[in-house]
Amino acid sequence: MTGTAPMIEVAGVTKHFRRKTDLAERLAMRVGLAEEPPTVHALDDVSLQIAEGEVVGLVGESGCGKSTLGRVVAGMLPVTSGQVARDGKDIAKLKGAEARAMRLATQIIFQDPMSSLNPRKKVVDIIGEAPRLHGLVKRSEVRAEVERLMGLVGLDPAMANRYPHQFSGGQRQRIGIARALAVNPDFLICDESIAALDVSIQAQVINLLVRLREELSLTLLFISHDLSVVRYISDRVVIMYLGRVVETAPTDRIFDAARHPYTQALLEEIPRIDRRGHRFSSVKGEIPSPVNPPQGCHFHPRCPFAMDRCRTERPALTQASPGHSVACHLDGGTGRPLSEAGVTTGDIPAID
Amino acid sequence: MSDPLLEVRGLRTWFETPKGTVKAVDGVDLTLERGEILGLVGESGSGKSITGFSLLGLVDPPGRVVEGDIRFLGEDLRSASPRRLRDLRGNRIAMIFQDPMMTLNPVLRIGTQMIETVRAHAKVSKAEARAKARDALCQVGIPHPDERIDAYPHEFSGGMRQRVAIAIALLHKPDLIIADEPTTALDVTIQSQILSEVQTLTREMGMGLIWISHDLGVVGQLANKVAVMYAGRIVERGTVDEVLDTPRHPYTRGLIDSLPMENDRGQPLRQIPGNAPPPLGRPEGCPFRPRCARATEACLSEPAETEAQGRGWRCFHPLEEEAMA
Ligand SMILES: Nc1ncnc2c1ncn2[C@@H]1O[C@H](COP(=O)(O)OP(=O)(O)OP(=O)(O)O)[C@@H](O)[C@H]1O
Ligand SMILES: Nc1ncnc2c1ncn2[C@@H]1O[C@H](COP(=O)(O)OP(=O)(O)O)[C@@H](O)[C@H]1O
Ligand code: SF4
Ligand code: SF4
Ligand SMILES: [Mg+2]
Ligand SMILES: [Mg+2]
């Protein structure tokens, strides 16, 4: 450990996906009858740091690359270019025991607890498998360890011999959390981990994550599209748009003083129970895609403040105040104050 | 007086399992007029989806609608033939499922499936159908529809798949949509766009919408009426203002109190203790009893609905009718 390096440093990471082609398409391409399948630019030069002990909320539109970033950070997906460092070391260069240790130290908890749990295994085996396989506990002590973990996440250890389908959704998510914690990670990536849960159970699982974070000194990357949950749980928020980070700031600043027009539009649309009969606004025209991202600022086709420069020049992530960075050409590259007339997605004009 | 778009009385849908009878839906009443949006909220397992499936005749054995009356524009759907139901599902009533893969075929390109849908409804050329499909993708915010229309479902993110399923439902231009938690995985700007599309359809075309969701924020902004389900029953119903501003049932109140927006950062969220009861282990009397701070001995028997003018609740000790802080 270098001490001064952030726990996670994502530096200029780009990730492209190629659509898989079938044999007929490949033949057609070979004889020039079909074009190459499009490349998806899931991540486009993303840089991000996560300090030890921090809870970072990652927010963005569906398909903008949040899960891809999560899997890249966890070392589950190779990058196209750029690098991810864990405690100052490039994870792509780690070998053998070091690589394994890194993988264990980072765990992902997914959205759907049912599809990520093997239905034919008992809970004791689901939670106990990894620590046994990796020799973290003696075979004879696996059961005691599983019972300890079940207690930690608020499950009755007496239920260790049951199968996943015998648990409720919230309990299954607790099983998923216990399984992740079984290998003693110090970094958890929660990818929409509570999105599928009921409101009353969401509150229980959020409270559990907050408690575990304190008790086990965990660092969290909390991926969610639910801004109200992110606001509650995160120390810092990162906003992504179409494969790029467009704004990052301490949580209070994002909610009180967001400077990127996209963040401001997001804040305007947070569902709130005290607002009734809301006229939802629609984005006219096409939303740009990661297959063919627009030139310049990716948000320009939807941005009510777009200028000529926005259509050609990518705005760099620029510091607006300490800890608060924005990628927008307005106001010397730092976006615009939230206090000026509000933005709604309805203001976002059509493109053709 | 014309018939309501949808009228459901005393619906009971039970599953006969080796371990006993699962009363998934156990006495549900619903009324929906044209142009109305009903938000159906509740814990998972409370019977929301099975209620939706029952209306469409989509309950698979061992499940069965054992009791109740379901009328769509006056037509008795319970005694309708399977063929008639299939016809209605294709043309007048659409369901958007919780899992988009229930709508999408994994081995077909998105475009192929959508073109089939369009051509099932209208005699149009393949090219016209493709143009319609492309526009529908645009409507739900799928970027570069001209390219993405040829993709397979697995090449889309989960949220994009759900948007395609919604686009397919909208292609039917139905009179009634039953949407089962369709935007749960979407971010707020896309959700807002989809809600805007369904709002337009309800306002301008008089479509009726049942929006099943656990997101009270969305329901509050979208719906006219709310029904809160718990353990197979509707435990509270009324207009959005009535239910969300002056909840009378302790469960509804608990749901509202646990929203992150209603809590201070740094304090634990107020949570409803415990879990919903398992379908075969429902407690005697009021099913909310083990989780309820107001429970007394009276709650050992089952509360009937207190009802007046479409506002109702099932509780022996309802909360006072005071505005929430
Ligand atoms: N294996 C793959 N092949 C091709 N494209 C892919 C693949 N995996 C992801 N993509 C594309 O990469 C982009 C980012 O996907 P990602 O899953 O990271 O989105 P996300 O932000 O997590 O979305 P959601 O909120 O819907 O989960 C999307 O356009 C998606 O279609
Ligand atoms: N095929 C089935 N066999 C037995 N029970 C079932 C079946 N399908 C659903 N159920 C039960 O019916 C109840 C209601 O389910 P559902 O309508 O899916 O709940 P919701 O949509 O509110 O989450 C649950 O207790 C569920 O376990
Ligand atoms: S850079 Fe231009 S287009 Fe992009 S957000 Fe700022 S003003 Fe809008
Ligand atoms: S009937 Fe009794 S247990 Fe049920 S919600 Fe009312 S007070 Fe609580
Ligand atoms: Mg994702
Ligand atoms: Mg359901």
Side-chain angles (χ1 to χ4, degrees):
Chain A
M1 316 264 150
T2 53
T4 51
M7 179 180 236
I8 301 293
E9 168 129 46
V10 177
V13 165
T14 293
K15 175 68 193 174
H16 292 169
F17 290 105
R18 258 294 163 77
R19 184 163 71 73
K20 287 208 177 57
T21 48
D22 56 29
L23 182 65
E25 271 181 302
R26 281 196 298 276
L27 285 173
M29 268 156 28
R30 182 133 354 133
V31 297
L33 283 176
E35 287 169 31
E36 290 268 305
T39 302
V40 179
H41 301 245
L43 297 175
D44 180 6
D45 193 9
V46 168
S47 297
L48 174 81
Q49 298 188 343
I50 301 174
E52 193 171 339
E54 221 181 358
V55 178
V56 174
L58 179 60
V59 178
E61 209 149 68
S62 160
C64 76
K66 306 181 295 295
S67 300
T68 305
L69 181 58
R71 289 193 293 160
V72 160
V73 166
M76 289 166 63
L77 204 61
V79 299
T80 306
S81 63
Q83 65 161 331
V84 178
R86 172 79 195 242
D87 302 313
K89 289 182 188 159
D90 183 348
I91 61 169
K93 299 208 176 97
L94 296 180
K95 298 240 151 47
E98 248 190 338
R100 210 189 60 179
M102 187 284 296
R103 278 193 192 204
L104 291 182
T106 305
Q107 291 292 313
I108 301 195
I109 299 166
F110 294 99
Q111 166 164 1
D112 180 359
M114 197 57 204
S115 66
S116 61
L117 301 177
N118 185 337
R120 279 181 293 277
K121 282 195 172 157
K122 289 178 183 164
V123 167
V124 59
D125 298 319
I126 291 174
I127 299 176
E129 183 176 33
R132 190 172 49 79
L133 225 63
H134 294 284
L136 301 177
V137 285
K138 286 201 210 102
R139 192 173 271 272
S140 60
E141 286 163 11
V142 169
R143 178 140 203 129
E145 174 64 4
V146 168
E147 288 180 0
R148 182 188 73 81
L149 287 161
M150 288 180 79
L152 187 67
V153 299
L155 287 170
D156 181 358
M159 304 205 287
N161 281 333
R162 298 202 187 167
Y163 293 89
H165 73 266
Q166 293 172 299
F167 291 84
S168 71
Q171 289 172 325
R172 287 198 284 258
Q173 197 55 283
R174 289 172 196 264
I175 298 171
I177 294 171
R179 179 180 56 178
L181 294 177
V183 293
N184 296 320
D186 53 5
F187 179 42
L188 280 190
I189 300 173
C190 304
D191 190 354
E192 302 279 7
S193 326
I194 56 154
L197 304 177
D198 289 297
V199 194
S200 81
I201 307 302
Q202 274 190 11
Q204 294 178 3
V205 174
I206 293 168
N207 284 341
L208 170 67
L209 285 170
V210 169
R211 177 169 66 77
L212 290 173
R213 175 227 176 172
E214 277 162 22
E215 282 176 15
L216 307 175
S217 315
L218 296 171
T219 303
L220 294 186
L221 177 60
F222 193 85
I223 301 177
S224 176
H225 65 276
D226 187 335
L227 276 163
S228 64
V229 174
V230 165
R231 171 170 171 268
Y232 177 79
I233 203 170
S234 312
D235 301 320
R236 190 157 61 85
V237 179
V238 175
I239 310 280
M240 273 183 79
Y241 186 77
L242 212 65
R244 294 177 179 171
V245 171
V246 296
E247 182 158 16
T248 171
T251 304
D252 286 335
R253 281 203 71 76
I254 284 286
F255 286 87
D256 300 338
R259 296 186 64 89
H260 196 283
Y262 174 63
T263 314
Q264 293 171 351
L266 278 182
L267 294 178
E268 185 60 33
E269 292 299 332
I270 300 184
R272 298 160 37 163
I273 71 156
D274 54 3
R275 186 161 65 176
R276 300 292 151 70
H278 180 57
R279 189 76 181 97
F280 289 95
S281 48
S282 81
V283 184
K284 294 287 178 324
E286 286 177 5
I287 294 174
S289 104
V291 171
N292 203 346
Q295 293 282 302
C297 172
H298 280 176
F299 192 54
H300 86 251
R302 298 171 70 188
C303 180
F305 311 103
M307 311 163 281
D308 280 346
R309 183 178 177 200
C310 307
R311 292 180 189 98
T312 52
E313 192 186 326
R314 173 181 184 166
L317 203 56
T318 307
Q319 182 167 316
S321 62
H324 187 173
S325 298
V326 185
C328 169
H329 289 308
L330 293 167
D331 197 11
T334 63
R336 60 190 285 280
L338 189 57
S339 54
E340 289 173 13
V343 195
T344 70
T345 42
D347 296 333
I348 296 175
I351 55 156
D352 28 44
Chain B
M1 237 183 84
S2 68
D3 292 307
L5 182 62
L6 180 74
E7 183 150 42
V8 179
R9 290 284 161 264
L11 178 69
R12 287 182 208 278
T13 305
W14 294 359
F15 291 83
E16 293 302 338
T17 73
K19 288 184 183 153
T21 305
V22 173
K23 299 180 177 175
V25 179
D26 200 24
V28 160
D29 299 338
L30 295 172
T31 309
L32 192 72
E33 303 289 347
R34 281 188 172 279
E36 255 185 353
I37 303 179
L38 168 75
L40 186 58
V41 299
E43 212 91 356
S44 78
S46 62
K48 307 180 298 295
S49 299
I50 301 295
T51 300
F53 293 162
S54 305
L55 304 181
L56 292 170
L58 287 176
V59 180
D60 291 327
R64 200 165 64 83
V65 176
V66 295
E67 214 179 288
D69 197 34
I70 306 168
R71 287 180 187 274
F72 174 68
L73 292 168
E75 180 178 349
D76 176 4
L77 294 192
R78 255 196 87 193
S79 52
S81 68
R83 193 197 154 119
R84 174 67 185 148
L85 282 174
R86 219 176 313 124
D87 199 43
L88 284 172
R89 282 200 300 270
N91 289 296
R92 317 279 307 269
I93 309 177
M95 181 137 185
I96 303 170
F97 297 97
Q98 207 164 352
D99 175 1
M101 293 316 286
M102 280 184 73
T103 308
L104 302 177
N105 184 331
V107 301
L108 289 184
R109 295 178 197 274
I110 300 290
T112 313
Q113 307 184 46
M114 296 184 74
I115 290 166
E116 274 172 16
T117 307
V118 174
R119 299 188 81 190
H121 286 277
K123 286 202 168 56
V124 293
S125 71
K126 240 184 157 163
E128 281 172 282
R130 189 180 160 94
K132 276 209 163 124
R134 180 213 167 273
D135 291 345
L137 288 178
C138 207
Q139 220 180 7
V140 294
I142 297 290
H144 285 242
D146 290 313
E147 288 149 35
R148 305 293 292 228
I149 195 169
D150 290 320
Y152 289 94
H154 76 266
E155 294 170 51
F156 279 12
S157 75
M160 291 162 74
R161 267 179 235 155
Q162 187 57 283
R163 281 184 267 162
V164 173
I166 293 168
I168 290 177
L170 297 180
L171 277 178
H172 292 286
K173 296 242 183 301
D175 296 303
L176 171 64
I177 291 193
I178 299 166
D180 193 358
E181 317 222 15
T183 59
T184 306
L186 305 182
D187 80 299
V188 290
T189 63
I190 297 296
Q191 172 167 281
S192 180
Q193 170 158 23
I194 285 163
L195 294 175
S196 150
E197 296 299 337
V198 298
Q199 246 177 0
T200 307
L201 286 173
T202 55
R203 286 186 192 186
E204 287 165 18
M205 330 244 323
M207 183 184 79
L209 176 65
I210 298 181
W211 190 263
I212 300 176
S213 173
H214 59 230
D215 191 331
L216 288 173
V218 169
V219 166
Q221 292 179 73
L222 177 73
N224 315 101
K225 301 196 291 196
V226 185
V228 181
M229 267 189 102
Y230 195 81
R233 298 245 162 121
I234 289 175
V235 295
E236 177 153 19
R237 64 197 170 106
T239 65
V240 169
D241 290 344
E242 287 166 344
V243 174
L244 297 185
D245 291 342
T246 56
R248 306 298 302 272
H249 198 283
Y251 173 62
T252 314
R253 177 72 196 240
L255 282 183
I256 295 170
D257 282 348
S258 66
L259 294 176
M261 278 301 211
E262 303 289 310
N263 283 268
D264 294 329
R265 286 177 60 203
Q267 297 289 319
L269 295 172
R270 285 167 291 182
Q271 62 184 47
I272 302 177
N275 289 297
L280 287 172
R282 285 190 191 149
E284 221 181 296
C286 173
F288 190 56
R289 186 166 48 86
R291 306 175 74 186
C292 182
R294 298 171 78 87
T296 65
E297 210 140 301
C299 310
L300 285 166
S301 41
E302 191 153 348
E305 186 178 63
T306 308
E307 197 256 322
Q309 286 152 5
R311 171 87 170 111
W313 56 85
R314 286 175 189 272
C315 175
F316 290 116
H317 310 296
L319 295 143
E320 291 304 311
E321 196 168 327
E322 61 193 29
M324 302 217 355

